[in-house]
Amino acid sequence: MGWNSWNTFMSGISDTLLRQTADAMVTNGMRDAGYQYINIDDGWAMPNRVNGHLQPDPVKFPNGFKPVTDYLHSKGFKFGIYSDRGTKTCVQQAPGSHGYETTDAEDFAAWGVDYLKYDNCNPASFSIQEGDYRRMRDALAATGRPIVFSICAWKFKKWMPQLGNLWRTTDDISDNWENIMGIIDTNEKLASYAGPGKWNDPDMLVVGCNGTVDVQNGKSFDMPEMADKRGMTDIEYQTHFSMWAVMAAPLIAGNDLRNMPKAVKEILLNKEVIAVDQDVLGRQGVKVWEDGKGLSIYSKELKGTHTRAVVLLNRTQKNERITAEWNDIGIPLGSATVRDLWRHVEIGNFNERYSVYVPPHGVVFLRIVGEAGKLRSN
Ligand code: GLA
């Protein structure tokens, strides 16, 4: 869990922004809720190496990284940086790490880096993708510093779980409903590859981004006038956050944390939903039911006897009733307790199923615990 600058600030990053973000995360409770990593993305390096070393932009980071990483560490955070397996990063201004893996990994370790997002742009050759990622993985390991390795190659490949701690399963996220639903459908099918220490990454959150990033509709940072257009409604942001949690996805916020509306704060700080995401079993939830017309149910096994996190998702434009059958979600037939994780209430005991109306583009997020020992034989 953490934060990354890209979805709001693109390359507009700085020492000051990182410190202000860290301070905000302490004040607003995000640090204590588990958001640990503060990560910069593309746009921190100068166009040229000096004596083979990447150079932090002196305007953005006047004293290099060490003072700011020391500050982040002193506040209990970890620091993430970005590079690329190719000869240039995606924004093209900065060199990639190709051929410099050892030097760059050693510099990252010396700067106090705890996390590396490693992108896939401008490769020296397309056919050497796995080798490029393997070389950086080995170079990081050789530094002796534990550094999370985040593979960002926009599509799952079978070699990724051997090399990375997380791997992007889709193209870049956009702050719009259709894009989020598409990402869910791709990422959900890869559930069997996820587990403790190795995660499918459906990309950084856009909760509260207000449309700053919407690649799909041509909105981008090249069009700053679009930045004040709201991307999704609060209900849709709640759905996005719920689905990332039930899929045990990395929760990397992407909005401006220094300035959050109450509704956005309540979404990112819902500790019951975060607990589902972070559950120690590390299971990724799967789709267990759908009606083919926009209603579906996702179930994630949690630690504890007969315990499931269950999302009832309504993709339609109307209020719709969804019924969770114990049979479908993996709870033994008989009585089970149902808790609503957005309303924070115990709803009660139910036999065999629970039925509820779900708002358009909304979810109902439940924690369901079957009563052990009440198994019915038929
Ligand atoms: C790629 C990645 C994004 C972001 C940008 C930065 O598109 O997928 O997440 O890092 O590059 O240029």
Side-chain angles (χ1 to χ4, degrees):
M1 293 172 69
W3 175 82
N4 175 297
S5 49
W6 184 256
N7 285 347
T8 296
F9 298 96
M10 208 182 173
S11 296
I13 43 182
S14 66
D15 178 305
T16 310
L17 174 67
L18 295 187
R19 288 172 199 256
Q20 289 175 348
T21 299
D23 293 346
M25 290 169 83
V26 173
T27 312
N28 67 23
M30 284 180 75
R31 180 188 63 182
D32 294 341
Y35 293 88
Q36 195 183 13
Y37 290 90
I38 296 188
N39 299 349
I40 51 169
D41 209 279
D42 207 350
W44 61 263
M46 295 300 281
N48 294 309
R49 291 176 179 268
V50 173
N51 300 325
H53 295 271
L54 290 169
Q55 301 297 306
D57 182 326
V59 175
K60 297 171 181 174
F61 297 95
N63 305 303
F65 286 119
K66 198 67 179 57
V68 69
T69 59
D70 284 348
Y71 184 79
L72 299 181
H73 290 146
S74 76
K75 300 273 172 186
F77 293 106
K78 293 183 184 291
F79 174 62
I81 207 165
Y82 166 100
S83 192
D84 188 284
R85 75 161 176 115
T87 52
K88 282 184 171 182
T89 69
C90 295
V91 294
Q92 304 262 354
Q93 286 144 3
S97 291
H98 188 78
Y100 292 87
E101 288 85 354
T102 302
T103 309
D104 291 355
E106 284 171 358
D107 284 347
F108 298 155
W111 295 339
V113 166
D114 304 293
Y115 181 118
L116 174 66
K117 172 175 170 180
Y118 206 47
D119 218 336
N120 190 41
C121 280
N122 308 302
S125 152
F126 283 101
S127 61
I128 55 172
Q129 190 187 46
E130 179 181 349
D132 282 347
Y133 279 96
R134 184 178 297 278
R135 264 199 319 288
M136 184 49 98
R137 194 278 307 259
D138 292 346
L140 292 173
T143 68
R145 185 177 174 86
I147 298 177
V148 171
F149 191 38
S150 162
I151 295 175
C152 178
W154 321 315
K155 194 179 188 327
F156 176 76
K157 306 263 176 66
K158 288 232 162 94
W159 52 263
M160 291 178 175
Q162 272 90 57
L163 296 186
N165 300 107
L166 60 157
W167 48 87
R168 270 276 296 281
T169 55
T170 65
D171 285 334
D172 289 12
I173 196 166
S174 283
D175 190 356
N176 74 64
W177 174 256
E178 289 73 25
N179 179 267
I180 300 291
M181 293 302 112
I183 288 179
I184 292 166
D185 292 339
T186 305
N187 194 70
E188 188 270 332
K189 296 185 183 71
L190 300 168
S192 62
Y193 296 102
K198 49 188 187 87
W199 310 103
N200 288 309
D201 173 14
D203 207 354
M204 307 165 296
L205 297 164
V206 292
V207 174
C209 282
N210 295 335
T212 46
V213 58
D214 190 343
V215 184
Q216 209 175 45
N217 288 332
K219 285 192 220 174
S220 75
F221 299 88
D222 309 334
M223 299 171 70
E225 70 279 7
M226 301 302 284
D228 60 351
K229 298 276 186 308
R230 189 155 183 106
M232 291 195 283
T233 65
D234 291 335
I235 286 200
E236 290 169 337
Y237 283 142
Q238 198 181 59
T239 296
H240 165 34
F241 194 69
S242 303
M243 290 307 301
W244 263 232
V246 85
M247 294 191 299
L251 299 179
I252 311 281
N255 55 319
D256 186 348
L257 302 182
R258 301 166 307 174
N259 184 10
M260 274 198 285
K262 187 162 169 284
V264 170
K265 209 185 284 182
E266 279 173 10
I267 293 170
L268 293 175
L269 282 165
N270 184 327
K271 294 193 179 154
E272 298 197 69
V273 172
I274 291 173
V276 169
D277 180 78
Q278 298 285 310
D279 182 81
V280 290
L281 284 189
R283 296 276 153 76
Q284 177 174 328
V286 290
K287 184 160 65 188
V288 294
W289 176 87
E290 65 185 328
D291 73 345
K293 293 181 232 149
L295 308 181
S296 47
I297 301 180
Y298 298 81
S299 174
K300 177 185 199 283
E301 187 184 359
L302 301 177
K303 184 169 188 275
T305 311
H306 307 319
T307 308
R308 293 284 189 285
V310 176
V311 174
L312 314 180
L313 169 64
N314 178 4
R315 302 186 191 213
T316 79
Q317 309 277 10
K318 290 199 325 246
N319 236 0
E320 293 283 359
R321 182 182 275 280
I322 302 182
T323 302
E325 299 278 352
W326 290 185
N327 245 343
D328 292 334
I329 61 179
I331 296 278
L333 290 176
S335 173
T337 59
V338 177
R339 181 173 176 82
D340 185 316
L341 303 187
W342 284 110
R343 286 164 53 215
H344 305 292
V345 291
E346 291 292 332
I347 305 172
N349 272 283
F350 295 84
N351 272 308
E352 294 171 33
R353 63 185 62 83
Y354 174 70
S355 196
V356 66
Y357 274 99
V358 184
H361 287 193
V363 293
V364 169
F365 203 154
L366 305 169
R367 187 170 192 276
I368 305 184
V369 183
E371 281 184 23
K374 285 206 173 171
L375 291 168
R376 228 172 54 176
S377 52
N378 58 344

